[in-house]
Each structure stands twice: as C-alpha cells, then as structure tokens.
Amino acid sequence: MPKSRSFSFTRRGFIAAGGALGLVATLAACGGTDTAKGDGDKGSTAAASSGPWTFKDDLGKDVSTKSTPKNIVAFTGTAAALFDYGVPVKGVFGPTKTADGKPDVQAGSMDISKVEILGNVYDEFNVEKYAALQPDLLVTNTWDGSYWYVPEASKDKILKLAPAAAIGVGGNVSMDKALERTADLAKSLGADMNAKAAVDGKARFEAAAAKVREATKANPGIKVLVGSGSADLFYASSPDTSADLKYFKTLGVEFVTPDKLDEGGFFESLSWENAGKYKADLVLLDNRTGTLQPEELKAKATWAEMPAVKAGQVAPRTTEPIFSYDKCAQILEDLAKALQNAKKVA
C-alpha cells in the first residue's frame, strides 16, 4: 500500500491506492464538512466498565485510557466494522465517500453524514479537525507494522493527541483471526457480543464458510486469479499475504500464484500486453474505488481475451474487507456462488 496516490508501487502503495488506479474518483471528496454527531443508527452499545480501559493491540502495544473511550476516531473500514457491533465513532479517515457523494464501499453500513471525515484519500488527514474532536482513541488496521492510513508526515502529531490501537489484517493473519481481534476490540469498547445481531452475524459467517468448502468440493479444480486493474498495469495478487485469501485457501479455494512478485510478496505487476500471462477459470477483481471495473476494462484487449473474462466468470473481490462477521459472511456467500457457477475454461 503506497504512500500516496501519486506513488511508486510498493505493496503498501498498491493496497492503499486501490490497485493504483484513478485518482480522480476520490480526490473530489476529500474532507467532510458534516458535523460529527457520533451516534450511529445502531444506537449505543452495552454499558462499558467505568474503570480504566486497556487493550493489547496487534502491534504488541498495551493501549490504555482512564476510562472506556467514547470519542473514537477510526480508519473508515475499521469504523464500519465497529459500527456493525454497535460501537459509534466520531470521525473517520480513509475512503469514505465517492466523488458523487455516495458512501464508498469501505464505509459499509455507516451513515457517513454522521461522522467527521478527516481525510478521504491516502496521505490525507486533517490534524486540526482531529484535535477538535477531542479523541480518546484512534483505531486502524495494520498490514505491515504501521498504522494504516495514518500519514507518515503527520504521524507523530496525530499519535500525540490520543492513544492508538491497530488490528492486524495482513502478513500471517488470516480472516478468521482478524475477525476475532476486531470483535475483541469492539467488546472492550462496550459492544454486546451476545446481542442477536452479533450472534447471528457469527453464525452466518460460519455457515458461509461451510458453503465455500462445499463449493470447492462439488466443483474441484477451479483455478482462481486475483487481480486489480489500472490504466497501465494489471496486478496479479499472491494468495499468501492477505487475510481474506489466506482464509479462502483453508476452505479449499485453488489460486493461481504469480511467480515474479514484488519485494513485499504481494503482487506481480504486468503490463497490459502481458496481462494474460496467467490462465484462470475465475477472476476475482479488486472492487475498490479507484480501480478499473469490468466495464472500463473492456477497452483492454488482453483483458477481453482472458478465458475467464470471455466466459463471464469475473466476480468482485473486496480487497479490504470490513472485519465484522456479517460483512465477511457476505463475502464468503458471494465467493461460494461464484465457485459453484464457474466452469473450467483455462
């Protein structure tokens, strides 16, 4: 995931940039002007303890405050997961609204009119607005040991204003572990994990995982390529470095693994002339704002000639999942259907 949208393609850059594409779609929607209300549609969580609050995050840090944090600011995707558990946030940073003002895919079920948007693109974070929210806690994910979407240039100023907690979603972490840790954080912040919505969400996730296992057994040998398209390059992703793909492998999904990965081991950059290097029966295509979608990719001749594309076997990939059980259950359900319907064409 690179350092900015004008980036060089490090692994950090790739993920942040939505596969490297299209700066225009999100630049128009930079900071929010809505007044932060802090109360999501799901209402308050269960009462949290009145004593000191502590949480050991996935950077190995013991994060603590004098009482359970109330003024929470979070990376958009993390905020969306907390929202699903009934934990409201006051501000967000990261892809939140598209150029036409609609919620970005990473905003999930949040009402984005009820949060202060501190930054809508990579490397954008309004420190003054953040300070004005009087934050008790900053929450984000971590892919590589850093605070995701917290700009390097202003990181020190930001981290002085409130404690920060990070949930691991990359490297050796699998989707089930990221879900467990996000739920642990939500519970510590007052979420009632015995509430019907939480219980039903976890049950739905487990049932969806079983559906994927069944689909891989019923339709064996389907080869899956995970990719992301930009104007100049097609990025073929490794299934071994992202929480979602690592988990899919445990369910029996057979991936195409690129053989010339970037130094971080996340993807192989292919010119469009060579985009057809890897043959697959099913393509999972990055669905993030800023990446080229199937309609836009029609102009790329090598894309159109891919066996899976010609067969209409392309499904969206939620490259940065919202780590609540309910949202990840939907991802698994969609994957199961795509696998069930796929035919061998490679």
Side-chain angles (χ1 to χ4, degrees):
M1 308 199 170
K3 303 212 170 171
S4 77
R5 296 235 172 199
S6 56
F7 39 88
S8 59
F9 260 76
T10 60
R11 125 144 184 86
R12 191 171 161 78
F14 168 72
I15 304 181
L21 303 165
L23 321 178
V24 178
T26 51
L27 286 173
C30 31
T33 56
D34 302 306
T35 301
K37 299 178 183 176
D39 54 343
D41 292 341
K42 295 203 172 188
S44 301
T45 61
S49 62
S50 57
W53 176 85
T54 61
F55 182 80
K56 191 174 187 68
D57 79 351
D58 292 340
L59 294 177
K61 297 182 178 180
D62 292 310
V63 186
S64 61
T65 58
K66 293 181 179 180
S67 59
T68 302
K70 297 298 182 186
N71 291 352
I72 301 168
V73 172
F75 167 66
T76 304
T78 316
L82 292 176
F83 177 86
D84 284 352
Y85 292 122
V87 178
V89 303
K90 281 203 165 183
V92 295
F93 54 97
T96 306
K97 65 166 69 172
T98 58
D100 59 4
K102 294 180 180 179
D104 187 273
V105 292
Q106 294 190 59
S109 300
M110 284 193 300
D111 181 346
I112 63 173
S113 71
K114 294 184 177 180
V115 293
E116 184 77 54
I117 300 174
L118 305 178
N120 199 57
V121 296
Y122 197 72
D123 251 3
E124 180 181 78
F125 192 114
N126 191 313
V127 181
E128 290 72 25
K129 284 186 178 181
Y130 178 56
L133 292 175
Q134 299 181 309
D136 299 322
L137 178 70
L138 181 146
V139 181
T140 187
N141 293 333
T142 182
W143 292 80
D144 56 5
S146 63
Y147 293 102
W148 187 224
Y149 263 78
V150 174
E152 281 295 317
S154 53
K155 179 183 68 175
D156 292 344
K157 291 180 181 178
I158 293 167
L159 297 181
K160 284 179 181 178
L161 292 170
I167 298 296
V169 299
N172 295 323
V173 177
S174 186
M175 176 180 270
D176 52 343
K177 183 62 177 179
L179 282 164
E180 178 185 322
R181 291 292 290 145
T182 304
D184 287 345
L185 176 62
K187 183 177 180 180
S188 79
L189 293 171
D192 180 3
M193 303 312 290
N194 293 316
K196 187 176 186 304
V199 173
D200 288 352
K202 189 169 185 180
R204 181 186 175 192
F205 175 82
E206 291 169 350
K211 289 179 182 178
V212 175
R213 288 193 189 94
E214 292 166 5
T216 59
K217 289 178 181 178
N219 195 9
I222 297 298
K223 299 296 183 182
V224 180
L225 175 65
V226 181
S228 184
S230 72
D232 300 319
L233 297 170
F234 179 73
Y235 300 92
S237 295
S238 166
D240 299 321
T241 46
S242 296
D244 58 335
L245 305 183
K246 286 174 68 70
Y247 184 64
F248 298 166
K249 283 184 69 174
T250 70
L251 302 179
V253 178
E254 297 181 39
F255 288 103
V256 174
T257 301
D259 55 26
K260 293 183 179 179
L261 299 172
D262 70 306
E263 64 179 83
F266 291 95
F267 57 87
E268 179 176 353
S269 303
L270 298 168
S271 66
W272 278 109
E273 288 79 6
N274 298 311
K277 177 179 178 179
Y278 300 106
K279 301 297 185 286
D281 305 300
L282 173 65
V283 174
L284 297 183
L285 184 68
D286 190 342
N287 76 337
R288 288 173 297 173
T289 300
T291 64
L292 298 186
Q293 298 307 303
E295 191 64 29
E296 299 164 301
L297 288 170
K298 284 181 179 180
K300 305 291 186 183
T302 46
W303 168 261
E305 289 302 312
M306 289 182 185
V309 176
K310 291 175 74 172
Q313 296 179 175
V314 178
R317 179 208 176 190
T318 303
T319 305
E320 290 188 62
I322 292 168
F323 287 102
S324 70
Y325 285 105
D326 190 64
K327 292 295 187 296
C328 287
Q330 183 66 61
I331 291 172
L332 292 179
E333 289 164 358
D334 292 342
L335 177 61
K337 289 179 183 177
L339 292 167
Q340 287 167 357
N341 295 331
K343 294 179 174 58
K344 292 181 182 179
V345 294

